[in-house]
Amino acid sequence: MYSLENTVSFNSALRQFAEKRRKLTTRCRRYVFLTILAAFLAVQFLSCIFLTPSNGSELKNLHHSGRFKLSDHIGVDKGTEHEPNLKNLSEIPDRYHVLREPLFPSDHYAIIACSTPEELNYNYAFNLPITVKTWERIGFGAGVILIGDEDIWDKRPALRTIFDELKSTGAGIAFIEAKPQSFALLGQTARLFGANIFNWGHSDVFLTTTDVDLWPITTEGDFYRVPKDKEVKILHAECCGYFDHRGKSVKMFPMAHVIMTHRRWAEVMNGQRSYPVKSGRDILRYLMEDFGDDVLWLESKRGNQLWYTDQKVMSIRLGEWIESGNNHDRVLKQSRPTEFNADLGIPIPTDRIDRANWILPKSLENIVDAHLISNGYLEENWSSHILPLLALMFDKVEAEVINQYRSAFIDSLRQEKYSFSR
């Protein structure tokens, strides 16, 4: 028979056993945690040492793991998530500056704009210097408008590599300062005001709007040029249907491409406004006249009402100019052969190499342009798609120069990746 004393001793032993078990469990958990932490740090350290500089496969792995942010936007780098949104125009810097005027000698220039990318997001910025070279290849200069602070383009390793290569071209370069919340919208719309931002001199020069991820290919002399009996040329003019604006149905024209002289661009876009539209604040104030306060508090993203703001505002102004002076006969609207793409829900030109169905021909005869695959600098895209296209477009020396730029960019991107991860 158990005595009270035996029962107390047994309970005491149980408590001692439970306490020892708790301490052992705690030690085991601590050991497992420290082991996992040590393994993780070892992997990070070894990856810093052994990643191959010229191979982009590690970037692909980062992309798939979710640690490498990549935008799926067309023509503009996706901004970061920002809070709070802009409340009024006074928050927008009223500053811009032209680093240099266009150097490439021509009477035709492409106007390209790009926002400062977020961390490790170079889907479009990487293309900038190559896109300028593709325009120079067919005899066009370029004016490049960068949204953001020049200091950032000098300091961040990957941006500095892009910026240095851009400066090696004959492009004019201008900066429009802005808040990150408006980067995307300004990156889309600033190119409409290239006639105001750069000094084009007294002689008429022709300006064409274009996208940073669209490379001109055809060397046919007149394709991007306005006939002498016209003042405006709109390529792929039937692409985009109509939209409603203030109770009117307005035909939408594409940003790629509308071509006219810089004087005509200034007349069409400025209208009777008393202020020259140049800074970020100017542009947003201009857009608010047509689209209200949405341009301040809503970020431009695919699918929302601001996504086609650039095409809409250009189409509104161009339509006004055409109607106000009965200028229909002064505009050449040129269509292109197209095939409807069910995935995108839009017609795609059949004379284009398009990322929706990338098929590289054996020659570039009858090919007008190329709409680039997203994240073209990644190894699987660069080696199998972009580099073979460059080999068809450029001689071996220039193609290798571009290939070396890509290698330098991958190296600098790796540096930037680790600077952001610390």
Side-chain angles (χ1 to χ4, degrees), residues 192 195-196 260-271:
L192 296 173
N196 298 341
M260 49 185 150
T261 68
H262 73 285
R263 298 179 196 277
R264 187 64 68 212
W265 268 109
E267 177 188 343
V268 168
M269 294 305 302
N270 295 341

Side-chain angles (χ1 to χ4, degrees), residues 205-223:
V205 297
F206 286 85
L207 307 181
T208 176
T209 49
T210 191
D211 297 326
V212 71
D213 61 344
L214 189 66
W215 289 352
I217 291 177
T218 182
T219 55
E220 181 184 334
D222 295 332
F223 187 81

